[in-house]
Amino acid sequence: MIKKFSKINYGSYQDFSWDNLQEFQKLNIFYGRNYSGKTTLSRILRSFEVKNPHSDYMDSTFEIEMTDSNLTSLTQNNITDNNLTISVYNKDFVKENLGFLIDDKAGDIKAFASVIVGEENKKTQAKIQELQNKLGNEKENKENNIFVSGLYKELQDLKDKRESVFKEKETKRQSEENKLREKANKEIKINPYFVKQGNTYNVNTILDDVETIKTPNSNFILESHEKQTKESLISDEIKRPLGFPISFNVNRLSEFIAKSRILIETKITPKQDIENQLRSWLDEGLKLHEHPKDTQQCKFCNNTLTQERIQWLLENVKDDKTDLIKSEINAYLEEIKGMEQDSKKALEEVQKIESQSFYKNFQEDFSQYKIKLELAIRSYNNSSLWQLRRNLKDKLEDIYNPNIIFHEATDNSREIQQILDSIKNLCTQNNEQTKTLEQDQENARKALRLDEVARFINNIDYFKVQEEIKELENTLKIKDKEIEAKGQEIAEIKKEIQELQDSLSDEKAGADKANEYLKSFFGNNQLEFESIPEKKGEFKIRRNKQEAKNLSEGECSLLAFCYFVAKLQDKDTKDKKPIIWIDDPISSLDNNHIFFIFSLIESEIAKSENYTQLFISTHNLDFLRYLKSLTGFQWRDNKKTPMFLIEKQQSSIIKELPYHIKKYITEFNYLFEKILECAESEEVSNITLDTYYNAANNIRKFLDYYLFFKYPSNEKLIE
């Protein structure tokens, strides 16, 4: 239980201390005029009920002394962490549970279609509304100024961005595809290698070629000569087989050079030392004379030439070795002629082969080989063989000369053989190509086609555009994920809203109880709560079975208080004996309704004993008069129900309710005491500011009561 408000620095209370005042009991009553500070006290208790400080008093401090051994005091530090069961009725309760009754901005009663009954339902509905606000409007209605908003707008923006990226990607893709299609249609008409055996060439086949060109580390663009070769190959027809019976002794010249060297370097010693010219003259002379004759006349000098002289000449001028070497030299010279004829014959045989006998891709090579062969054989004959012939003739002409030098001859036989082998291989390749001509031509067509396509896609920056398209596709994937995530977020919020809607507690029983109070205690068959079947936890207020509009302040008070009392029966409060604080439940009610409010408190709360403590505050003396019947008041017995007066001076204060208000039950007595207090006080400082400033109004009200009681008439009492 609460013992007392030890200290209060909260709202209108400044440095208030609970001094010499009775401690709280089970029932406690406060009286005070409007704006004196009654609601401020209720807000302190309500902050513990809702476990949240009031937004207007965040920096306020207070201390409440308790009787509970486990919780000796309450301060602003215990608000969010306490296990007290408290139910407070004040304007904050009405605002939070039935906020539709009061318009905070204008202070007027709202017209409304439906309401949320119950604080928890109101919080849940507020959360639902928050989530729905986050979702926003899914559809647009420009006529009613409704536009897509919230997460739906974010989702729509994502979809719009995705659509924009998709259109950009498709525009690029379609543009490239159209370029390829146009290229395919154009080339198929002018380039024979773009079609084969009636097969069509279209955008799909050119795309296949593009995929081939994308092969890493491959270059499909042909050099000029490669392109010409393949174009020639395409127009080729099948050639007759080429034979190549041409032979060439690659070792013959090197062997001949070795033998010639030996022969030329062989030294011959004559029997007589005769000058070389004279020896030649003698050799020629001996040929002109008859050797068998005994004597004869010399054909040069006409002297007698005997047989003995001829025999001497023969023995000293000529010998068998010399004749043998000369014979070998002459044989070598004949062999040189043979080698020369063989080489010329090989060249002639090659020259007989026409270039057109080869397929076009070999013709150039064959022509080059022929030129190389002609040059090599010319070098073979005019250089190598000529040098050998010159060496032999020098030896033959001066056979006894020991100083004759063998001049080296270059042997290019292997070069000739290599050229001949190349021509032979070319013939073989040409013959082999006859077997694969169709496939080779197809490969050539493909190579030429890929060359043309490769050049074209380079010119249009095809692969660069494809990279841009790929980046756009990656952007689309990102957008798809964002759209999926946003859709998932929306789905989760929808699910949460559905769960919250499903969790809205059914307040029909509470509303029925409130309707029962309206009828039983107030005899009011006009106002009632009516549930909306399709909206769980929502109600309409009806008056005479019609939707209620423009509720009066008194009607609002009746509805709000009946709902509060009915809510004491809900699962969160029932059987928990809460601390109950009822703040000024009377507002613009006539005396009958004031009594009914009291009757409802008496029967449903006070007599039920289903509470730990009950605090009631009021500004209405008639209502206070009824409350006194709850106290079992006995004069001068301070252990009975505490009754307090709240006054607003420089700040709000709490003090014991004056004796005359406790004793008397009418405002007439109270007003008399206030007037008497002013009359008996010699100085203004001896009376409270509240009494001082309200003195004139108190006198007016006192005279109204007094004179109307003495002269009960509507006529003017004083002319």
Side-chain angles (χ1 to χ4, degrees), residues 268-357:
I268 302 173
T269 303
K271 294 179 180 180
Q272 294 293 327
D273 186 14
I274 303 173
E275 291 182 2
N276 188 48
Q277 290 183 349
L278 181 59
R279 187 179 293 279
S280 297
W281 180 78
L282 288 173
D283 188 50
E284 291 294 328
L286 287 173
K287 292 178 182 178
L288 296 176
H289 295 80
E290 296 180 8
H291 299 169
K293 289 182 178 183
D294 293 335
T295 60
Q296 56 184 306
Q297 189 178 6
C298 177
K299 296 183 183 309
F300 296 98
C301 61
N302 293 323
N303 292 325
T304 302
L305 182 63
T306 62
Q307 181 65 33
E308 289 78 9
R309 186 61 179 169
I310 290 174
Q311 189 63 36
W312 183 89
L313 290 172
L314 289 173
E315 290 177 356
N316 290 276
V317 173
K318 297 178 66 176
D319 57 37
D320 293 339
K321 186 176 182 180
T322 301
D323 291 340
L324 179 60
I325 289 176
K326 287 183 177 181
S327 177
E328 288 181 0
I329 289 174
N330 289 325
Y332 280 7
L333 290 173
E334 288 299 321
E335 189 171 351
I336 287 174
K337 288 182 180 179
M339 287 190 291
E340 187 175 17
Q341 290 174 353
D342 289 344
S343 65
K344 289 181 178 179
K345 182 178 180 181
L347 178 60
E348 290 173 357
E349 291 297 323
V350 170
Q351 289 176 334
K352 288 179 182 179
I353 303 174
E354 297 181 351
S355 297
Q356 289 76 10
S357 300

Side-chain angles (χ1 to χ4, degrees), residues 329 332-333 336 388-396:
I329 289 174
Y332 280 7
L333 290 173
I336 287 174
L388 288 175
R389 185 185 290 111
R390 181 72 268 161
N391 288 338
L392 291 170
K393 285 184 177 181
D394 288 346
K395 181 69 173 177
L396 185 64

Side-chain angles (χ1 to χ4, degrees), residues 227-283:
K227 189 173 182 180
Q228 291 176 358
T229 300
K230 294 185 183 299
E231 287 175 342
S232 299
L233 176 61
I234 293 175
S235 61
D236 266 336
E237 296 179 354
I238 295 177
K239 304 293 183 180
R240 296 178 60 183
L242 289 173
F244 194 78
I246 301 170
S247 60
F248 181 79
N249 190 343
V250 69
N251 296 318
R252 186 177 182 184
L253 180 58
S254 61
E255 293 173 356
F256 189 80
I257 289 173
K259 291 191 297 182
S260 296
R261 179 191 298 278
I262 294 172
L263 182 62
I264 290 171
E265 291 179 350
T266 300
K267 294 181 179 182
I268 302 173
T269 303
K271 294 179 180 180
Q272 294 293 327
D273 186 14
I274 303 173
E275 291 182 2
N276 188 48
Q277 290 183 349
L278 181 59
R279 187 179 293 279
S280 297
W281 180 78
L282 288 173
D283 188 50

